[in-house]
């Protein structure tokens, strides 16, 4: 299978740097703007793109991404539109990996098999389903596997040695380490705690480790990039989109690109700075 | 009746009732859910746990609640003999306390020092605040901003009991959003916090343990009717939001095949209006709040808003065991509208001198519909799961009365 995720993580590793993963909610603040934001992300330095599938009840998300979900739903975004947007994106970019992130119910309503087939056809590389722990994943895994899509698993500060094997069993693509016990956009974890957690996970898996939750600034991103294979920034970008939408700005994609460029710069130089 | 054929044996080891139930939570919560399951398994096997629970139910809650023969209601309807299980006479005025006592004892066993809960009508919030006060634990109640408006007396009760009431402004600002916010709090405060879920829903083991704590209703009713009438009832009726009072009454009778069991969903302004809370009649299987169950949702899997005059039934889902009992056909599910519930409310006030909560008023409405079609030698037990003091403002507004 053509595996954009593995290729991209390998390329970043070869450059001796962490990857920057950026999260935006599909259709936030509206579908057209969202498509422009998406198109601008790779050029700004996003190595991997996570696209949020909007849901009415995002119970693992903090206020920023909750509002992003509501903006998107208010604009009428559907999963079908999200897939069409990715299909368009792929016409210009066949290299940047795209991972969908969201909740199980919209996937279940679409139908797991139909969803996996459509996601693959659109050029999506994997999924993170927040409320689908390994114990319940049997309804989705066969469909994803059949269509060559990764199911990215999450490890958290509560994932102890007893729990970790269950999380890793069937994990693919990369391992997403949720740096703080809490919702997205919460307080930041201490860099030393993250370094220790990444080292602990690396001892149990060869998958790349991406670290997210509570990463807002280039400085925080750099601190994590020194240790992890990838840094995920979500709420800070979604917050910026929300603020720009509120003031009815017409340059939202350019603003997001500038924010992502600053994060990318920090992530790409993090290990050099640390070595110097 | 052995374990293989009993309808009371569920859930399975992974918390499933047929295709429903399960543990659909963020990974951060999984170790806690598993820890809770173990703690509950241990507690069930500990006679000291049961002894403390029974002592509190007797002396603090006031159990057993009476099984009352509603003679004038029976005469008025002119059919089957109607008995009311008087759980509105419990301390705090509803069945919710049965579950809260059980869960706070579990919280103490697990060494948790902070309690959180969601509430819709405020009954579960009041019951949780009550047991938190009784055991000296700090308590935060999440309540939708819209529910805070329509249930002011219960908000004040919770505050008097020392709870912090946190207004939830997200989404539809009702019970489902309060539950989202409680889950967000829990995932953020995993080390010291115990989440007392108020209905027989949520991730496993909640549907099982809430049911178990509520089956005191059905166990008592079974013994009481056998003592009063020397036989089992012909019909059980209870209202359903999440369904904890109903499963509490129904469960001990599930294997009694001659007992007809009817659950009443809230059909709000009517099943054909989209303004209802009948997730079995108008929903599809889906995943929300940690379990797979029947949900009100649109074709994209977005959860739609429920409506009921009763804040306690205003929820777009239902406990997974009800979804399963519906699927296998053991329990029959009907509905009652806002208007029918108001009729039931007034009927019980007028005939029995009992002001019911709007939630069981839906069950009374169904009894008024079904009892006349039954013989005078037949017996109905309806669950009167809450008293109506909290609802008098809502009822006054609905009847066009200015107080």
């Amino acid at each position: 299978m053509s595996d954009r995720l593995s290729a991209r993580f390998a390329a970043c590793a070869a450059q001796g740097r962490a990857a920057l993963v950026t999260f935006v909610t599909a259709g936030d603040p509206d579908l057209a703007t969202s498509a422009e934001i998406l198109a601008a992300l790779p050029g700004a330095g996003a190595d991997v793109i996570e696209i949020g599938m909007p849901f009415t009840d995002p119970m693992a998300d903090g206020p920023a991404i909750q509002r992003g979900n509501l903006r998107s739903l208010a604009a009428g975004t559907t999963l079908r539109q999200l897939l069409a947007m990715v299909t368009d994106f792929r016409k210009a970019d066949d290299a940047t990996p795209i991972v969908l992130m969201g909740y199980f119910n919209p996937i279940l309503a679409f139908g797991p098999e139909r969803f996996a087939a459509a996601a693959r056809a659109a050029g999506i590389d994997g999924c993170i389903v927040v409320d689908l722990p390994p114990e319940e994943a049997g309804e989705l895994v066969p469909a994803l596997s059949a269509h060559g899509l990764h199911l990215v698993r999450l490890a958290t500060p509560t994932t102890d040695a007893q729990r970790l094997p269950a999380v890793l069993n069937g994990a693919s693509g990369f391992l997403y380490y949720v740096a703080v016990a809490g919702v997205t956009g919460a307080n930041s974890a201490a860099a030393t705690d993250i370094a220790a957690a990444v080292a602990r996970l690396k001892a149990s898996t060869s998958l790349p480790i991406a670290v997210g939750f509570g990463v807002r600034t280039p400085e925080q991103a750099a601190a994590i990039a020194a240790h992890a294979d990838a840094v995920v920034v979500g709420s800070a970008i979604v917050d910026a989109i929300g603020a720009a939408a509120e003031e009815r700005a017409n340059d939202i994609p350019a603003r997001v690109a500038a924010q992502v460029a600053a994060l990318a710069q920090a992530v790409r130089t993090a290990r050099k700075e640390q070595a110097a | 009746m052995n374990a293989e054929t009993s309808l009371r044996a569920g859930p399975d080891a992974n918390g499933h009732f047929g295709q429903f139930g399960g543990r659909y939570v963020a990974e951060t919560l999984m170790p806690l859910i598993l820890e809770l399951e173990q703690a509950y398994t241990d507690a069930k096997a500990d006679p000291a746990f049961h002894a403390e629970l029974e002592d509190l139910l007797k002396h603090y809650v006031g159990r057993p609640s009476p099984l009352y023969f509603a003679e004038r209601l029976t005469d008025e309807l002119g059919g089957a003999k109607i008995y009311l299980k008087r759980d509105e006479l419990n301390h705090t005025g509803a069945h919710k306390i049965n579950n809260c006592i059980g869960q706070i004892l579990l919280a103490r066993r697990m060494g948790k020092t902070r309690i959180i809960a969601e509430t819709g009508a405020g009954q579960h919030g009041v019951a949780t605040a009550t047991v938190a006060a009784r055991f000296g634990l700090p308590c935060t109640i999440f309540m939708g901003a819209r529910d805070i408006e329509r249930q002011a007396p219960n908000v004040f009760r919770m505050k008097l009991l020392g709870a912090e009431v946190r207004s939830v402004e997200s989404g539809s600002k009702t019970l489902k959003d309060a539950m989202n916010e409680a889950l967000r709090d829990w995932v953020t405060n995993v080390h010291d916090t115990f989440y007392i879920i108020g209905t027989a829903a949520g991730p496993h083991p909640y549907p099982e343990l809430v049911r178990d704590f509520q089956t005191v209703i059905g166990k008592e009713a079974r013994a009481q009717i056998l003592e009063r009438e020397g036989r089992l009832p012909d019909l059980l009726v209870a209202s359903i939001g999440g369904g904890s009072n109903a499963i509490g009454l129904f469960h001990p009778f599930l294997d009694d095949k001659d007992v007809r069991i009817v659950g009443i969903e809230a059909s709000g302004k009517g099943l054909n209006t989209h303004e209802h809370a009948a997730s079995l009649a108008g929903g599809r299987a889906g995943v929300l709040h940690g379990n797979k169950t029947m949900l009100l949702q649109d074709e994209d899997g977005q959860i739609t808003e429920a409506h009921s005059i009763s804040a306690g039934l205003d929820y777009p889902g239902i406990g997974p065991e009800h979804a399963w009992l519906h699927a296998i056909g053991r329990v029959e599910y009907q509905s009652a509208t806002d208007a029918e519930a108001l009729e039931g409310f007034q009927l019980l006030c007028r005939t029995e001198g009992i002001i019911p909560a709007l939630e069981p008023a839906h069950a009374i409405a169904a009894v008024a519909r079904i009892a006349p079609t039954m013989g005078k030698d037949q017996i109905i037990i309806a669950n009167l799961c809450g008293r109506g003091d909290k609802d008098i403002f809502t009822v006054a507004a609905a009847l066009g009365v200015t107080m």
Side-chain angles (χ1 to χ4, degrees):
Chain A
M1 92 194 193
S2 74
D3 188 347
R4 299 183 193 93
L5 265 176
S6 305
R8 183 55 57 92
F9 276 112
C12 291
Q15 293 170 27
R17 67 172 179 88
L20 174 64
V21 182
T22 57
F23 172 95
V24 290
T25 301
D28 175 24
D30 58 69
L31 202 65
T33 309
S34 181
E36 289 177 38
I37 293 170
L38 192 62
L41 288 173
D47 297 300
V48 176
I49 297 172
E50 263 182 37
I51 299 180
M53 299 181 278
F55 184 47
T56 39
D57 293 81
M59 64 188 184
D61 284 297
I65 294 179
Q66 286 175 44
R67 285 193 290 264
N69 276 269
L70 290 178
R71 283 192 298 271
S72 170
L73 291 172
T77 310
T78 65
L79 188 47
R80 197 180 314 217
Q81 290 175 337
L82 181 163
L83 295 168
M85 179 173 78
V86 175
T87 303
D88 282 347
F89 172 89
R90 279 278 172 250
K91 291 174 186 163
D93 184 331
D94 198 35
T96 306
I98 293 184
V99 175
L100 298 186
M101 184 164 188
Y103 296 81
F104 190 43
N105 200 54
I107 296 175
L108 193 60
F110 203 84
E113 168 58 31
R114 180 172 163 242
F115 167 80
R120 175 68 181 189
I124 283 156
D125 301 288
C127 295
I128 303 171
V129 188
V130 179
D131 57 351
L132 197 70
E135 283 82 352
E136 305 292 350
E139 204 165 356
L140 183 61
V141 166
L144 294 184
S145 303
H147 293 280
L149 293 168
H150 294 288
L151 180 61
V152 174
R153 290 274 169 78
L154 300 107
T156 80
T158 61
T159 310
D160 55 17
Q162 195 188 340
R163 178 70 187 160
L164 188 56
V167 170
L168 292 176
N169 184 17
S172 77
F174 60 93
L175 185 66
Y176 190 134
Y177 180 64
V178 174
V180 287
V183 292
T184 52
N187 295 332
S188 309
T192 47
D193 290 350
I194 291 172
V198 170
R200 186 166 60 84
L201 296 172
K202 287 243 172 229
S204 300
T205 180
S206 55
L207 289 173
I209 312 290
V211 176
F213 278 48
V215 189
R216 302 190 70 86
T217 65
E219 293 70 30
Q220 289 167 337
I224 290 169
H227 306 286
D229 299 305
V231 183
V232 187
V233 181
S235 294
I237 296 170
V238 175
D239 253 345
I241 292 172
E246 191 115 319
E247 56 182 86
R248 300 185 181 281
N250 55 14
D251 61 343
I252 298 178
R255 290 193 196 189
V256 172
Q259 185 184 16
V260 170
L263 291 162
Q265 170 72 14
V267 166
R268 285 168 194 231
T269 56
R271 290 187 204 162
K272 286 176 203 154
E273 304 251 317
Q274 201 184 43
Chain B
M1 188 72 54
N2 64 36
E4 270 93 281
T5 53
S6 173
L7 297 176
R8 303 181 63 200
D12 69 16
N14 290 312
H16 293 108
F17 300 91
Q19 69 151 319
F20 301 106
R23 291 175 285 223
Y24 294 85
V25 296
E27 184 55 41
T28 308
L29 290 178
M30 274 307 293
L32 282 84
I33 296 278
L34 296 170
E35 184 196 0
L36 173 61
E37 185 181 345
Q38 187 58 52
Y40 181 54
T41 302
D42 295 347
K44 275 196 289 191
D46 181 358
F49 177 80
H50 291 284
E52 190 173 14
L53 179 60
E54 278 161 30
D55 185 73
L56 283 160
L57 288 177
K58 182 174 179 187
H59 299 291
Y60 189 66
V61 176
R63 301 209 73 95
S65 69
L67 184 72
Y68 165 71
F69 174 47
E71 192 175 0
R72 289 200 65 234
L73 179 63
T74 298
D75 286 348
E76 170 106 1
L77 296 174
K81 288 180 79 172
I82 300 159
Y83 283 88
L84 301 176
K85 182 60 176 161
R86 303 285 306 274
D87 256 52
E88 101 282 12
L89 293 177
N90 293 338
H91 180 41
T92 73
H95 70 291
K96 295 290 187 184
I97 190 95
N98 303 331
N99 165 49
C100 291
I101 292 274
Q103 287 201 48
I104 204 156
L105 291 181
L106 267 182
R108 289 205 323 161
R109 280 177 78 93
M110 296 175 74
K112 302 295 182 184
T113 55
R114 173 177 176 263
I115 299 296
I116 59 170
E118 86 294 339
T119 197
Q123 293 302 88
H124 175 59
V126 167
T128 303
T130 297
V131 298
R134 167 64 183 75
F135 288 96
L137 295 176
C139 171
T140 300
I141 305 292
F142 295 90
M143 189 168 183
R146 262 171 57 192
D147 289 337
I148 284 180
E149 271 173 36
R150 51 184 177 172
Q151 298 290 342
N154 271 344
V155 173
F156 185 56
R157 277 187 194 104
M158 287 184 266
K159 289 178 178 171
L160 282 173
L161 292 161
E164 176 201 359
V165 180
R166 222 174 275 175
S167 176
V168 177
E169 306 285 344
S170 59
S172 61
K173 303 178 188 178
T174 60
L175 178 55
K176 86 176 169 77
D177 310 283
M179 200 152 176
N180 288 333
E181 211 56 37
L183 284 163
R184 290 179 187 124
D185 182 290
W186 195 24
V187 81
T188 307
N189 299 289
V190 288
H191 296 296
D192 64 349
T193 297
F194 189 100
Y195 180 14
I196 297 186
I197 292 184
T199 193
H204 177 65
Y206 281 102
E208 177 186 356
L209 69 86
V210 174
R211 174 200 72 197
D212 290 351
F213 292 137
Q214 292 294 1
T215 52
V216 67
I217 300 172
K219 286 176 189 162
E220 286 176 6
R222 205 168 193 284
Q224 288 165 324
I225 200 71
L226 286 173
E227 191 190 325
R228 273 302 273 281
E229 296 278 352
R231 69 176 186 91
L232 292 176
D234 298 283
L235 173 67
L236 303 175
V237 181
S239 63
I240 298 187
S244 72
N245 91 80
I247 201 71
L249 175 66
F250 297 168
H251 198 261
F253 294 90
L254 287 179
D255 288 330
D256 299 305
K257 292 203 164 42
D258 293 334
V259 179
R260 180 185 176 200
I261 306 181
V262 178
I264 307 299
E265 296 192 286
S267 51
K269 295 180 180 172
L271 288 176
N272 54 349
T273 65
H274 298 292
E275 287 188 67
H276 63 77
S279 44
L280 293 177
R284 283 182 294 125
V287 169
L288 180 70
H289 294 151
N291 60 180
K292 183 188 271 191
T293 189
M294 296 293 282
L295 298 171
L296 298 180
Q297 54 182 315
D298 68 17
E299 60 178 19
D300 293 319
Q302 305 297 347
I303 308 305
T304 53
E305 290 184 24
H307 166 83
S308 169
I309 191 170
S310 148
L313 304 182
D314 196 349
Y315 179 69
I318 186 166
E321 193 163 11
H322 285 294
W324 174 68
L325 290 167
H326 174 252
I328 65 168
R330 171 61 183 101
V331 176
E332 189 184 325
Y333 293 86
Q334 303 182 4
S335 62
T337 63
D338 289 353
E340 289 168 328
L342 279 168
E343 292 281 325
F345 181 97
Q346 295 171 89
L347 175 65
L348 198 65
C349 290
R350 183 163 53 76
T351 57
E352 295 292 344
I354 297 172
I355 303 177
L358 278 169
E359 291 80 17
H362 287 72
I364 299 301
V367 166
R369 195 161 62 206
I370 302 170
T373 69
M374 296 170 65
K376 287 185 193 279
D377 57 342
Q378 292 187 292
I379 298 168
I380 298 174
I381 297 178
N383 203 4
L384 196 55
C385 63
R387 68 176 183 227
D389 310 47
K390 69 183 175 64
D391 289 320
I392 55 173
F393 302 100
T394 304
V395 171
L399 298 177
V401 176
T402 311
M403 291 203 290

